[in-house]
Amino acid sequence: MGRKDSSGCCCCCDLLCGCLFSCILSCIFQILCTILVIVALAAFIFWLILRPNEVKFHVTDASLTQFNFTTNNTLHYNLALNVSIRNPNKRIGFYYDTIEANAYYQGKRFDTEILTPFYQGHKNTTVVNAVFQGQQLVLLSTDEVSQFDSEKTGKLFGIILKLNLRIRPKLGWIKVWTFKPKIKCGLNVPLKSNGTSSTAFETTKCSYDL
């Protein structure tokens, strides 16, 4: 009797398995592509319906009653800021879960304050207050000390406010994803003496710090 050729059967099985595996991969790829297209289309339709607008930040008032730099590299300060937050959207509200306010002078952070969380409805303007008061060791170079002395003479200090936020948009009853924008405000703050200053503080528009 002749023997059956098993090698032919093995080749057929290998070929069948290979085709089956390729079909499975092809199906998975097509399903993933379909899901991505659906998600992208849904996001585009969502954007068309809502047309979300960028939240705007302004520092509307600043009161600086103390800003002294001593010979032992200590900065004594008393700074109060009013920050206006405008939500121009008609259908979207925002939960401000975290508001971290940082004050900088010549690139050195001298204070951090955590502000009270709040919810902001649509088409709404909310004003938050950030108060920085105390003393802090700040290491300035010789040139930076000279810059401080120059600003002290002019009674106008360049201070930067940075806000680190954690925000959740709200559409109806739906709370969407969390995002963490960073806001930067470059301020020229006049020093007050006996409750008055030689120049008035000008409202300053803030930008997104990317």
Side-chain angles (χ1 to χ4, degrees):
M1 291 179 66
R3 294 181 178 178
K4 292 184 178 179
D5 189 358
S6 61
S7 62
C9 292
C10 290
C11 289
C12 289
C13 289
D14 290 343
L15 183 61
L16 182 60
C17 290
C19 290
L20 183 61
F21 183 69
S22 297
C23 288
I24 292 174
L25 284 181
S26 177
C27 289
I28 292 175
F29 180 75
Q30 290 179 8
I31 291 172
L32 289 177
C33 287
T34 302
I35 292 174
L36 288 175
V37 170
I38 292 174
V39 170
L41 184 60
F44 180 66
I45 294 173
F46 180 80
W47 180 84
L48 283 178
I49 294 173
L50 296 181
R51 295 292 180 91
N53 294 306
E54 188 178 82
V55 175
K56 296 176 174 59
F57 296 80
H58 292 80
V59 177
T60 56
D61 190 30
S63 176
L64 184 64
T65 56
Q66 183 182 27
F67 209 69
N68 299 321
F69 187 70
T70 61
T71 54
N72 61 351
N73 296 320
T74 300
L75 180 67
H76 299 260
Y77 54 88
N78 191 344
L79 171 66
L81 303 174
N82 288 346
V83 182
S84 170
I85 305 174
R86 174 64 181 172
N87 174 18
N89 294 283
K90 295 180 180 179
R91 300 180 179 88
I92 305 175
F94 294 96
Y95 285 95
Y96 292 82
D97 294 325
T98 301
I99 311 172
E100 180 187 271
N102 300 285
Y104 289 80
Y105 179 70
Q106 298 203 47
K108 279 77 172 177
R109 183 174 61 180
F110 61 85
D111 200 354
T112 297
E113 297 294 332
I114 304 299
L115 308 186
T116 303
F118 67 95
Y119 170 74
Q120 183 178 43
H122 50 79
K123 302 290 285 185
N124 176 268
T125 300
T126 303
V127 177
V128 297
N129 307 109
V131 178
F132 305 95
Q133 184 176 10
Q135 59 185 48
Q136 178 64 40
L137 180 67
V138 177
L139 299 179
L140 299 180
S141 66
T142 302
D143 290 341
E144 289 170 337
V145 172
S146 297
Q147 177 67 25
F148 175 88
D149 292 337
S150 175
E151 293 181 358
K152 183 178 180 180
T153 300
K155 295 185 177 181
L156 188 67
F157 291 94
I159 296 172
I160 291 178
L161 171 69
K162 290 186 178 182
L163 301 175
N164 296 328
L165 308 173
R166 187 163 66 89
I167 301 176
R168 287 177 297 144
K170 178 177 179 289
L171 173 61
W173 54 271
I174 302 174
K175 299 175 185 177
V176 204
W177 63 93
T178 297
F179 63 103
K180 301 177 181 180
K182 296 182 178 181
I183 310 300
K184 182 178 180 181
C185 316
L187 311 174
N188 290 313
V189 185
L191 179 65
K192 287 186 176 181
S193 178
N194 297 323
T196 61
S197 58
S198 56
T199 57
F201 175 78
E202 295 183 4
T203 295
T204 303
K205 182 179 180 181
C206 305
S207 61
Y208 285 81
D209 193 11
L210 302 177

Coordinates of all heavy atoms in Angstrom, one line a residue, residues 45-124:
I45 N -19.4 67.2 14.9 CA -20.8 67.6 15.0 C -21.0 68.3 16.4 O -21.6 69.3 16.5 CB -21.7 66.4 14.9 CG1 -21.6 65.8 13.5 CG2 -23.1 66.8 15.3 CD1 -22.4 64.5 13.3
F46 N -20.3 67.8 17.4 CA -20.4 68.4 18.8 C -19.9 69.8 18.7 O -20.4 70.7 19.3 CB -19.6 67.5 19.8 CG -19.6 68.0 21.2 CD1 -20.7 67.8 22.0 CD2 -18.5 68.7 21.7 CE1 -20.7 68.2 23.3 CE2 -18.5 69.1 23.0 CZ -19.6 68.9 23.8
W47 N -18.7 70.0 18.0 CA -18.1 71.3 17.9 C -19.0 72.2 17.1 O -19.1 73.4 17.5 CB -16.7 71.2 17.3 CG -16.0 72.5 17.1 CD1 -15.3 73.1 18.1 CD2 -16.0 73.3 16.0 NE1 -14.8 74.3 17.6 CE2 -15.3 74.5 16.3 CE3 -16.6 73.2 14.7 CZ2 -15.1 75.5 15.4 CZ3 -16.4 74.3 13.8 CH2 -15.7 75.4 14.1
L48 N -19.6 71.7 16.0 CA -20.5 72.6 15.2 C -21.7 73.1 16.0 O -22.1 74.2 15.9 CB -20.9 71.8 14.0 CG -19.9 71.6 12.8 CD1 -20.5 70.8 11.7 CD2 -19.5 73.0 12.3
I49 N -22.2 72.2 16.9 CA -23.4 72.6 17.6 C -23.1 73.6 18.7 O -23.7 74.6 18.9 CB -24.0 71.3 18.3 CG1 -24.6 70.4 17.2 CG2 -25.1 71.7 19.2 CD1 -25.1 69.1 17.7
L50 N -22.0 73.3 19.4 CA -21.6 74.2 20.6 C -20.8 75.4 20.2 O -20.9 76.4 20.8 CB -20.8 73.3 21.6 CG -21.6 72.2 22.2 CD1 -20.7 71.4 23.2 CD2 -22.9 72.6 22.9
R51 N -19.9 75.3 19.2 CA -19.0 76.3 18.9 C -18.3 76.9 20.1 O -18.5 78.1 20.5 CB -19.7 77.4 18.1 CG -20.3 77.0 16.7 CD -19.1 76.7 15.8 NE -19.6 76.3 14.5 CZ -19.9 77.2 13.5 NH1 -19.7 78.5 13.6 NH2 -20.3 76.7 12.3
P52 N -17.6 76.1 20.9 CA -17.0 76.6 22.1 C -16.0 77.7 21.9 O -15.2 77.7 20.9 CB -16.2 75.3 22.7 CG -16.0 74.5 21.4 CD -17.1 74.7 20.5
N53 N -16.1 78.7 22.7 CA -15.3 79.9 22.7 C -14.3 79.9 23.9 O -14.6 79.3 24.9 CB -16.1 81.2 22.8 CG -16.9 81.4 21.5 OD1 -16.4 81.3 20.4 ND2 -18.2 81.6 21.7
E54 N -13.1 80.4 23.7 CA -12.1 80.5 24.7 C -12.5 81.3 25.9 O -13.0 82.4 25.7 CB -10.8 81.0 24.0 CG -9.6 80.9 24.9 CD -8.4 81.4 24.1 OE1 -8.2 82.6 24.1 OE2 -7.6 80.6 23.5
V55 N -12.3 80.8 27.1 CA -12.5 81.5 28.3 C -11.4 82.6 28.4 O -10.2 82.4 28.1 CB -12.4 80.6 29.5 CG1 -12.5 81.4 30.8 CG2 -13.6 79.6 29.5
K56 N -11.8 83.8 28.8 CA -10.9 85.0 28.8 C -10.6 85.4 30.2 O -11.5 85.4 31.1 CB -11.5 86.1 28.0 CG -11.7 85.8 26.5 CD -12.4 87.0 25.8 CE -12.5 86.8 24.3 NZ -13.2 85.5 24.0
F57 N -9.3 85.7 30.4 CA -8.8 86.1 31.8 C -8.2 87.5 31.7 O -7.4 87.8 30.8 CB -7.7 85.1 32.2 CG -8.2 83.7 32.5 CD1 -8.4 82.8 31.4 CD2 -8.5 83.3 33.8 CE1 -8.9 81.5 31.6 CE2 -9.0 82.0 34.0 CZ -9.2 81.1 32.9
H58 N -8.6 88.3 32.6 CA -8.0 89.7 32.7 C -7.7 90.0 34.2 O -8.5 89.6 35.1 CB -9.0 90.8 32.2 CG -9.2 90.7 30.7 ND1 -10.1 89.8 30.1 CD2 -8.6 91.4 29.7 CE1 -10.1 90.0 28.8 NE2 -9.2 91.0 28.5
V59 N -6.7 90.7 34.5 CA -6.4 91.2 35.8 C -7.0 92.7 35.8 O -6.4 93.5 35.0 CB -4.9 91.2 36.2 CG1 -4.7 91.9 37.6 CG2 -4.4 89.8 36.2
T60 N -8.0 92.9 36.5 CA -8.7 94.2 36.4 C -8.3 95.2 37.5 O -8.5 96.4 37.3 CB -10.2 94.0 36.5 OG1 -10.5 93.3 37.8 CG2 -10.8 93.2 35.4
D61 N -7.7 94.7 38.5 CA -7.2 95.6 39.6 C -6.0 95.0 40.3 O -6.0 93.8 40.5 CB -8.3 95.9 40.6 CG -8.0 97.1 41.5 OD1 -7.2 98.0 41.1 OD2 -8.5 97.1 42.6
A62 N -5.1 95.9 40.7 CA -4.0 95.4 41.5 C -3.6 96.4 42.6 O -3.6 97.6 42.3 CB -2.8 95.2 40.6
S63 N -3.4 96.0 43.8 CA -3.0 96.9 44.9 C -1.7 96.3 45.5 O -1.7 95.2 46.1 CB -4.1 96.9 45.9 OG -3.7 97.7 47.0
L64 N -0.7 97.1 45.4 CA 0.7 96.8 45.9 C 1.0 97.8 47.0 O 1.4 98.9 46.7 CB 1.7 96.7 44.8 CG 3.1 96.3 45.2 CD1 3.1 94.8 45.7 CD2 4.1 96.5 44.0
T65 N 0.9 97.4 48.2 CA 1.2 98.3 49.3 C 2.6 98.1 50.0 O 3.0 99.0 50.7 CB 0.1 98.2 50.4 OG1 0.1 96.9 50.9 CG2 -1.2 98.6 49.8
Q66 N 3.2 97.0 49.7 CA 4.6 96.7 50.2 C 5.3 95.9 49.2 O 4.8 94.9 48.7 CB 4.5 96.0 51.5 CG 5.9 95.8 52.2 CD 5.8 95.1 53.5 OE1 4.9 94.3 53.7 NE2 6.8 95.3 54.3
F67 N 6.6 96.3 48.9 CA 7.4 95.5 48.0 C 8.9 96.0 48.3 O 9.4 96.8 47.6 CB 7.0 95.7 46.5 CG 7.3 94.5 45.7 CD1 6.6 93.3 45.8 CD2 8.3 94.6 44.7 CE1 6.9 92.2 45.0 CE2 8.6 93.5 43.9 CZ 7.9 92.3 44.1
N68 N 9.4 95.4 49.3 CA 10.8 95.8 49.8 C 11.7 94.6 49.7 O 11.4 93.5 50.1 CB 10.7 96.3 51.2 CG 9.9 97.5 51.3 OD1 9.9 98.4 50.5 ND2 9.1 97.6 52.4
F69 N 12.9 94.9 49.2 CA 13.9 93.8 49.1 C 15.1 94.2 50.0 O 15.7 95.3 49.8 CB 14.4 93.7 47.6 CG 15.4 92.5 47.4 CD1 14.9 91.2 47.5 CD2 16.7 92.8 47.2 CE1 15.8 90.2 47.3 CE2 17.6 91.7 47.0 CZ 17.1 90.4 47.0
T70 N 15.4 93.4 51.0 CA 16.4 93.7 52.0 C 17.7 93.2 51.7 O 17.9 92.3 50.7 CB 15.9 93.2 53.4 OG1 15.8 91.8 53.4 CG2 14.6 93.8 53.8
T71 N 18.7 93.6 52.4 CA 20.1 93.1 52.1 C 20.3 91.6 52.4 O 21.3 91.1 51.9 CB 21.1 94.0 53.0 OG1 20.7 93.9 54.4 CG2 21.1 95.4 52.6
N72 N 19.5 91.0 53.2 CA 19.6 89.6 53.4 C 18.8 88.7 52.4 O 18.4 87.6 52.7 CB 19.2 89.2 54.9 CG 17.8 89.6 55.2 OD1 17.1 90.2 54.4 ND2 17.3 89.1 56.3
N73 N 18.5 89.3 51.3 CA 17.8 88.7 50.2 C 16.4 88.2 50.5 O 15.9 87.2 50.0 CB 18.6 87.4 49.7 CG 19.9 87.8 49.1 OD1 20.1 88.7 48.4 ND2 21.0 87.0 49.5
T74 N 15.7 89.0 51.3 CA 14.3 88.8 51.7 C 13.4 89.8 51.0 O 13.6 91.0 51.2 CB 14.2 88.8 53.2 OG1 15.0 87.8 53.8 CG2 12.7 88.5 53.6
L75 N 12.4 89.3 50.4 CA 11.4 90.2 49.7 C 10.2 90.2 50.7 O 9.6 89.2 51.0 CB 11.0 89.6 48.4 CG 10.0 90.4 47.6 CD1 10.5 91.8 47.2 CD2 9.5 89.7 46.4
H76 N 9.8 91.4 51.1 CA 8.6 91.7 51.9 C 7.5 92.3 50.9 O 7.8 93.2 50.2 CB 8.9 92.7 53.0 CG 9.9 92.2 54.0 ND1 9.6 91.6 55.2 CD2 11.3 92.1 53.9 CE1 10.7 91.3 55.8 NE2 11.7 91.6 55.1
Y77 N 6.3 91.7 50.9 CA 5.4 92.0 49.9 C 3.9 92.0 50.5 O 3.6 91.3 51.4 CB 5.5 91.1 48.7 CG 5.4 89.6 49.1 CD1 4.1 89.0 49.1 CD2 6.5 88.9 49.4 CE1 4.1 87.7 49.5 CE2 6.5 87.6 49.8 CZ 5.2 87.0 49.8 OH 5.1 85.6 50.2
N78 N 3.1 92.8 49.8 CA 1.7 92.8 50.1 C 1.0 93.2 48.8 O 0.9 94.3 48.4 CB 1.3 93.8 51.2 CG -0.1 93.6 51.7 OD1 -0.9 93.0 51.0 ND2 -0.4 94.2 52.9
L79 N 0.5 92.2 48.1 CA -0.1 92.3 46.8 C -1.5 91.7 46.7 O -1.7 90.6 47.1 CB 0.8 91.7 45.7 CG 0.3 91.6 44.3 CD1 0.1 93.0 43.7 CD2 1.2 90.7 43.5
A80 N -2.5 92.5 46.2 CA -3.8 92.0 46.1 C -4.3 92.2 44.6 O -4.1 93.3 44.0 CB -4.8 92.7 47.0
L81 N -4.8 91.1 44.0 CA -5.2 91.1 42.6 C -6.6 90.7 42.4 O -7.1 89.8 43.1 CB -4.3 90.2 41.7 CG -2.8 90.5 41.8 CD1 -2.0 89.4 41.0 CD2 -2.4 91.8 41.2
N82 N -7.3 91.4 41.5 CA -8.6 90.9 41.1 C -8.5 90.4 39.7 O -8.1 91.1 38.7 CB -9.6 92.1 41.1 CG -10.0 92.5 42.5 OD1 -9.8 91.8 43.4 ND2 -10.6 93.7 42.6
V83 N -8.9 89.1 39.5 CA -8.8 88.4 38.2 C -10.2 88.2 37.7 O -11.0 87.5 38.4 CB -8.1 87.1 38.3 CG1 -7.9 86.5 37.0 CG2 -6.7 87.3 38.9
S84 N -10.5 88.7 36.5 CA -11.8 88.6 35.9 C -11.8 87.4 35.0 O -10.9 87.3 34.1 CB -12.2 89.8 35.1 OG -13.4 89.6 34.3
I85 N -12.7 86.4 35.1 CA -12.8 85.2 34.3 C -14.1 85.3 33.5 O -15.2 85.2 34.1 CB -12.7 83.9 35.1 CG1 -11.4 84.0 35.9 CG2 -12.7 82.7 34.2 CD1 -11.3 82.8 36.9
R86 N -14.0 85.4 32.2 CA -15.2 85.5 31.4 C -15.5 84.2 30.6 O -14.6 83.8 29.8 CB -15.1 86.7 30.4 CG -16.2 86.8 29.4 CD -17.5 87.1 30.0 NE -18.6 87.2 29.1 CZ -19.9 87.3 29.4 NH1 -20.3 87.4 30.7 NH2 -20.8 87.4 28.5
N87 N -16.7 83.6 30.8 CA -17.1 82.5 30.0 C -18.1 83.0 29.0 O -19.2 83.2 29.3 CB -17.7 81.4 30.9 CG -18.3 80.3 30.1 OD1 -18.0 80.1 29.0 ND2 -19.2 79.5 30.8
P88 N -17.7 83.0 27.7 CA -18.6 83.6 26.7 C -19.5 82.6 26.1 O -20.3 82.9 25.2 CB -17.6 84.1 25.6 CG -16.4 83.2 25.7 CD -16.3 82.7 27.2
N89 N -19.4 81.3 26.5 CA -20.2 80.3 25.9 C -21.6 80.3 26.3 O -22.0 80.5 27.4 CB -19.5 78.9 26.2 CG -18.2 78.7 25.6 OD1 -18.0 78.5 24.4 ND2 -17.1 78.9 26.4
K90 N -22.5 79.9 25.3 CA -23.9 79.9 25.6 C -24.5 78.7 26.3 O -25.5 78.7 26.9 CB -24.7 80.1 24.3 CG -24.5 81.5 23.6 CD -25.3 81.6 22.3 CE -25.0 83.0 21.7 NZ -25.8 83.1 20.4
R91 N -23.8 77.6 26.0 CA -24.3 76.3 26.5 C -23.3 75.5 27.4 O -23.7 74.5 27.9 CB -24.6 75.4 25.3 CG -25.6 75.9 24.4 CD -25.9 75.0 23.2 NE -26.9 75.4 22.3 CZ -26.7 76.2 21.3 NH1 -25.4 76.6 21.0 NH2 -27.6 76.6 20.5
I92 N -22.1 76.1 27.6 CA -21.1 75.3 28.4 C -20.8 76.1 29.7 O -20.5 77.3 29.7 CB -19.8 75.1 27.6 CG1 -20.1 74.5 26.3 CG2 -18.8 74.3 28.4 CD1 -18.9 74.3 25.4
G93 N -20.9 75.4 30.8 CA -20.4 75.9 32.1 C -19.1 75.2 32.5 O -18.6 74.3 31.8
F94 N -18.4 75.7 33.5 CA -17.1 75.2 33.9 C -17.0 75.0 35.4 O -17.4 76.0 36.1 CB -16.0 76.1 33.4 CG -15.8 76.2 31.9 CD1 -16.4 77.2 31.2 CD2 -15.2 75.2 31.2 CE1 -16.3 77.3 29.8 CE2 -15.0 75.3 29.8 CZ -15.6 76.3 29.1
Y95 N -16.5 73.9 35.8 CA -16.1 73.7 37.2 C -14.7 74.0 37.3 O -13.8 73.3 36.7 CB -16.4 72.2 37.6 CG -17.9 71.9 37.9 CD1 -18.7 71.3 36.9 CD2 -18.5 72.2 39.1 CE1 -20.0 71.1 37.1 CE2 -19.8 71.9 39.3 CZ -20.6 71.3 38.3 OH -21.9 71.1 38.5
Y96 N -14.3 74.9 38.1 CA -12.9 75.2 38.4 C -12.6 74.5 39.7 O -12.7 75.0 40.8 CB -12.7 76.7 38.6 CG -12.9 77.5 37.3 CD1 -14.1 77.9 36.9 CD2 -11.8 77.9 36.5 CE1 -14.3 78.5 35.7 CE2 -11.9 78.6 35.3 CZ -13.2 78.9 34.9 OH -13.4 79.6 33.7
D97 N -12.1 73.3 39.6 CA -11.8 72.4 40.7 C -10.5 72.8 41.4 O -10.4 72.7 42.7 CB -11.7 70.9 40.2 CG -13.0 70.4 39.7 OD1 -14.0 70.8 40.2 OD2 -13.0 69.6 38.8
T98 N -9.5 73.3 40.7 CA -8.3 73.8 41.3 C -7.9 75.1 40.7 O -7.8 75.2 39.5 CB -7.1 72.7 41.1 OG1 -7.5 71.5 41.7 CG2 -5.8 73.2 41.8
I99 N -7.5 76.0 41.5 CA -7.0 77.3 41.1 C -5.8 77.6 41.9 O -5.9 78.1 43.0 CB -8.0 78.5 41.2 CG1 -9.4 78.1 40.7 CG2 -7.5 79.7 40.5 CD1 -10.5 79.0 40.9
E100 N -4.6 77.4 41.3 CA -3.4 77.7 42.0 C -2.8 79.0 41.4 O -2.5 79.1 40.2 CB -2.4 76.6 41.8 CG -1.0 76.8 42.5 CD 0.0 75.7 42.1 OE1 0.0 74.7 42.8 OE2 0.7 75.9 41.1
A101 N -2.6 80.0 42.2 CA -2.1 81.3 41.8 C -0.7 81.5 42.3 O -0.4 81.3 43.5 CB -3.0 82.4 42.4
N102 N 0.2 81.8 41.4 CA 1.6 81.9 41.7 C 2.1 83.3 41.3 O 1.8 83.8 40.2 CB 2.5 80.9 40.9 CG 2.1 79.5 41.3 OD1 2.4 79.0 42.3 ND2 1.4 78.8 40.4
A103 N 2.8 84.0 42.2 CA 3.3 85.3 41.9 C 4.8 85.2 41.7 O 5.6 84.6 42.5 CB 3.0 86.3 43.1
Y104 N 5.3 85.9 40.6 CA 6.7 85.9 40.3 C 7.3 87.3 40.1 O 6.6 88.2 39.7 CB 7.0 85.2 38.9 CG 6.7 83.7 38.9 CD1 5.4 83.2 38.8 CD2 7.8 82.8 38.9 CE1 5.2 81.8 38.8 CE2 7.6 81.4 38.9 CZ 6.3 80.9 38.9 OH 6.1 79.6 38.8
Y105 N 8.5 87.4 40.5 CA 9.3 88.7 40.3 C 10.6 88.3 39.7 O 11.4 87.5 40.2 CB 9.5 89.5 41.5 CG 10.2 90.8 41.3 CD1 9.6 91.8 40.6 CD2 11.5 90.9 41.7 CE1 10.3 93.0 40.3 CE2 12.2 92.1 41.5 CZ 11.6 93.1 40.7 OH 12.3 94.3 40.5
Q106 N 10.9 88.8 38.5 CA 12.1 88.6 37.7 C 12.4 87.1 37.6 O 13.5 86.6 37.8 CB 13.3 89.3 38.4 CG 13.1 90.8 38.3 CD 14.5 91.6 38.4 OE1 15.4 91.2 37.8 NE2 14.5 92.6 39.3
G107 N 11.3 86.3 37.3 CA 11.4 84.9 37.1 C 11.5 84.1 38.4 O 11.6 82.8 38.3
K108 N 11.5 84.7 39.5 CA 11.5 84.0 40.8 C 10.1 84.0 41.4 O 9.5 85.0 41.6 CB 12.5 84.6 41.8 CG 13.9 84.2 41.6 CD 14.6 84.9 40.4 CE 16.1 84.6 40.4 NZ 16.7 85.3 39.2
R109 N 9.6 82.8 41.8 CA 8.3 82.7 42.4 C 8.5 83.1 43.9 O 9.3 82.5 44.6 CB 7.8 81.3 42.3 CG 6.4 81.1 42.9 CD 5.8 79.7 42.7 NE 6.6 78.7 43.3 CZ 6.4 77.4 43.2 NH1 5.3 77.0 42.5 NH2 7.2 76.5 43.7
F110 N 7.7 84.0 44.4 CA 7.8 84.4 45.8 C 6.6 84.1 46.6 O 6.6 84.2 47.8 CB 8.1 85.9 45.9 CG 7.1 86.9 45.3 CD1 6.0 87.3 46.0 CD2 7.2 87.4 44.0 CE1 5.1 88.1 45.5 CE2 6.3 88.2 43.5 CZ 5.2 88.6 44.2
D111 N 5.5 83.6 46.0 CA 4.3 83.2 46.8 C 3.4 82.3 45.9 O 3.3 82.5 44.7 CB 3.6 84.4 47.3 CG 2.7 84.0 48.5 OD1 2.6 82.8 48.8 OD2 2.1 84.9 49.1
T112 N 2.7 81.4 46.6 CA 1.6 80.6 45.9 C 0.4 80.6 46.8 O 0.5 80.4 48.0 CB 2.1 79.2 45.7 OG1 3.2 79.2 44.8 CG2 1.0 78.3 45.2
E113 N -0.8 80.8 46.2 CA -2.0 80.8 47.0 C -3.0 79.9 46.2 O -3.1 79.9 45.0 CB -2.6 82.2 47.1 CG -1.8 83.2 47.9 CD -1.6 82.8 49.3 OE1 -2.6 82.2 49.9 OE2 -0.6 83.2 49.9
I114 N -3.7 79.1 47.0 CA -4.8 78.3 46.4 C -6.1 79.0 46.6 O -6.5 79.2 47.8 CB -4.8 76.9 47.1 CG1 -3.4 76.2 47.0 CG2 -5.9 76.0 46.5 CD1 -3.0 76.0 45.5
L115 N -6.8 79.3 45.5 CA -8.0 80.0 45.6 C -9.2 79.1 45.7 O -9.1 77.9 45.4 CB -8.2 80.9 44.3 CG -7.0 81.8 44.0 CD1 -7.3 82.7 42.9 CD2 -6.6 82.6 45.3
T116 N -10.4 79.6 46.1 CA -11.6 78.8 46.3 C -12.1 78.3 45.0 O -12.4 79.1 44.1 CB -12.6 79.6 47.1 OG1 -12.1 80.2 48.3 CG2 -13.8 78.8 47.4
P117 N -12.4 77.0 44.9 CA -13.0 76.4 43.7 C -14.4 76.9 43.5 O -15.1 77.3 44.5 CB -13.0 74.9 44.0 CG -12.0 74.7 45.1 CD -12.0 75.9 45.9
F118 N -14.9 77.0 42.3 CA -16.3 77.4 42.1 C -16.8 76.9 40.7 O -16.0 76.4 39.9 CB -16.3 79.0 42.1 CG -15.6 79.6 40.9 CD1 -16.2 80.0 39.7 CD2 -14.2 79.9 41.0 CE1 -15.5 80.6 38.7 CE2 -13.5 80.4 40.0 CZ -14.2 80.8 38.8
Y119 N -18.1 77.0 40.5 CA -18.7 76.7 39.2 C -19.1 78.0 38.5 O -19.7 78.9 39.1 CB -19.9 75.8 39.4 CG -20.7 75.7 38.1 CD1 -20.2 74.8 37.1 CD2 -21.9 76.4 38.0 CE1 -21.0 74.7 35.9 CE2 -22.6 76.2 36.8 CZ -22.1 75.4 35.8 OH -22.8 75.3 34.6
Q120 N -18.8 78.1 37.2 CA -19.1 79.2 36.5 C -20.1 78.9 35.4 O -19.9 78.0 34.5 CB -17.9 79.8 35.8 CG -18.1 81.1 35.0 CD -16.9 81.7 34.4 OE1 -16.0 81.0 33.9 NE2 -16.7 83.0 34.6
G121 N -21.3 79.5 35.4 CA -22.3 79.2 34.4 C -22.0 79.8 33.1 O -21.0 80.6 32.9
H122 N -22.8 79.6 32.1 CA -22.6 80.1 30.7 C -22.9 81.6 30.7 O -23.7 82.1 31.5 CB -23.5 79.3 29.7 CG -24.9 79.2 30.1 ND1 -25.8 80.2 29.9 CD2 -25.6 78.2 30.6 CE1 -27.0 79.9 30.3 NE2 -26.9 78.6 30.7
K123 N -22.2 82.3 29.7 CA -22.3 83.7 29.6 C -22.2 84.4 30.9 O -23.0 85.3 31.3 CB -23.7 84.1 28.9 CG -23.9 83.4 27.6 CD -23.0 84.0 26.5 CE -23.5 85.4 26.1 NZ -22.7 85.9 24.9
N124 N -21.1 84.1 31.6 CA -20.9 84.6 33.0 C -19.5 85.2 33.2 O -18.6 84.7 32.6 CB -21.2 83.5 34.0 CG -21.0 83.9 35.4 OD1 -19.9 83.8 35.9 ND2 -22.0 84.5 36.0

